Amino acid sequence: MRKILQRTLGGPEVLEWVAADRPEPGPAEIQVEVRAAGVNPVDWKVRAGGGYLGTPPFTVGWEAAGVVTAVGPGVTRFVPGDEVFGLFRFPKEAGAYAEYVTGPARHFAHRPRAMTMTEAGGLALAGLTAWQVLVDTARVRAGQRVLIPAAAGGFGHLAVQIAKARGAHVIGTSRADKHALVREFGADEVIDYRDTDVGDVVRDVDLAIGVVAGQVSSLVRTLRPGGMLLTLNGADTAASVAAGGRFLLAEPDRAGLEELAELVDEGLLRVHVDRVLPLSEAAEAHRAGEAGRTVGKIVLVP
């Protein structure tokens, strides 16, 4: 098989398309032929700085959709031929930028029936992050006010839809040229972050989500007494804690994946795929992602 490998930290140019041995599933693991792998900000942050993986060589990527090709001892949930999607091994090395991957069986779920394989490849990481923020942690319920910055992005557009499915009043931020699409995802209000500080115009928020680094002070000003601040950017952890908030890192979770799949099949959640590129062009995918203009997700396919 072939996969993306980097031997040093650096820019997108360090991503190499190389031959490699096909990984074999261990106990309680499955082997998956990758049909689509999602690209996320954590991918290029780790590529450049090492993050939780430390020193290369390693392969980035943590979410994928594909077909089960083998199962390890003890696996009862899947058989070869099943179509699955998952967030696996995160934040340890998963190597999703590859033609074949292995991972714990319970880090995967069956592909939603109403979603293509390409769309499913971009669902697991951002979708689980949104689910764990909105449902598992904040327990958002009908009538609450939720502020989602970068609402057109990979995490944001899924968070808007999940919050709306919970009955929340959703306030999003994006560039003005994306407002119509953010409203299509379900946002009740959309603010152009380029000329407006949300801390100046938004009040009485039950949950504010810190998506973009450096926004903690503005987000805190939007909260009602007793409102919750959750940040996703590790650079804001100290500032968030100092302001009474918390940092959240997504966890692989079969139950959450199945909840996401149910929302998809009910017509309440979709992945907006901005761009599809060959797996061998991962460097170009990173350049596009780091430019910050992506709506929804970039997905790599073999």
Side-chain angles (χ1 to χ4, degrees):
M1 73 162 201
R2 298 183 72 84
K3 69 176 184 179
I4 292 292
L5 179 73
Q6 65 178 92
R7 306 173 201 273
T8 185
L9 302 177
E13 69 280 356
V14 305
L15 299 178
E16 305 176 44
W17 184 233
V18 303
D21 294 332
R22 185 183 302 185
E24 296 298 326
E29 292 185 347
I30 59 175
Q31 180 191 75
V32 177
E33 181 184 4
V34 174
R35 299 290 176 83
V39 177
N40 297 281
V42 66
D43 301 0
W44 56 77
K45 291 177 182 178
V46 170
R47 182 211 73 219
Y52 294 105
L53 300 190
T55 303
F58 52 66
T59 297
V60 297
W62 284 270
E63 67 176 354
V67 178
V68 176
T69 45
V71 300
V75 173
T76 59
R77 300 186 65 246
F78 301 111
V79 297
D82 284 347
E83 296 185 352
V84 298
F85 76 112
L87 167 68
F88 51 105
R89 303 192 191 279
F90 187 77
K92 298 180 179 179
E93 185 175 2
Y97 289 13
E99 293 177 331
Y100 287 85
V101 297
T102 60
R106 290 185 178 267
H107 290 183
F108 292 85
H110 290 281
R111 176 177 64 85
R113 296 183 301 277
M115 183 170 274
T116 67
M117 194 72 83
T118 299
E119 292 165 336
L123 175 60
L125 199 159
L128 271 182
T129 304
W131 184 266
Q132 290 166 12
V133 168
L134 293 160
V135 182
D136 292 346
T137 304
R139 302 188 184 280
V140 167
R141 59 188 183 275
Q144 289 192 314
R145 290 166 58 82
V146 177
L147 174 59
I148 303 173
F155 165 82
H157 87 292
L158 297 176
V160 167
Q161 295 173 74
I162 293 170
K164 201 62 191 173
R166 304 283 293 181
H169 179 92
V170 180
I171 305 162
T173 75
S174 73
R175 296 169 56 93
D177 59 348
K178 300 176 183 176
H179 282 197
L181 188 57
V182 174
R183 289 185 183 278
E184 184 181 317
F185 293 138
D188 298 285
E189 303 176 46
V190 191
I191 296 167
D192 188 342
Y193 66 85
R194 294 177 301 171
D195 56 23
T196 304
D197 184 333
V198 293
D200 294 335
V201 298
V202 178
R203 291 291 181 272
D204 298 322
V205 166
D206 294 279
L207 171 65
I209 307 172
V211 180
V212 181
Q215 292 188 335
V216 168
S217 61
S218 291
L219 298 179
V220 167
R221 285 158 40 214
T222 72
L223 294 174
R224 66 164 177 79
M228 181 181 293
L229 170 66
L230 289 172
T231 57
L232 307 179
N233 195 306
D236 281 342
T237 302
S240 178
V241 171
R246 284 184 280 173
F247 168 67
L248 184 143
L249 186 69
E251 302 175 52
D253 175 30
R254 171 196 59 81
L257 291 172
E258 291 175 347
E259 295 280 8
L260 294 174
E262 185 173 337
L263 284 180
V264 171
D265 289 335
E266 290 175 353
L268 298 175
L269 181 65
R270 63 184 177 92
V271 172
H272 181 91
V273 178
D274 185 90
R275 191 172 180 184
V276 179
L277 289 167
L279 193 56
S280 58
E281 296 182 19
E284 177 58 27
H286 278 214
R287 292 187 188 97
E290 288 180 284
R293 299 296 178 88
T294 301
V295 176
K297 297 296 292 285
I298 297 172
V299 177
L300 298 170
V301 298

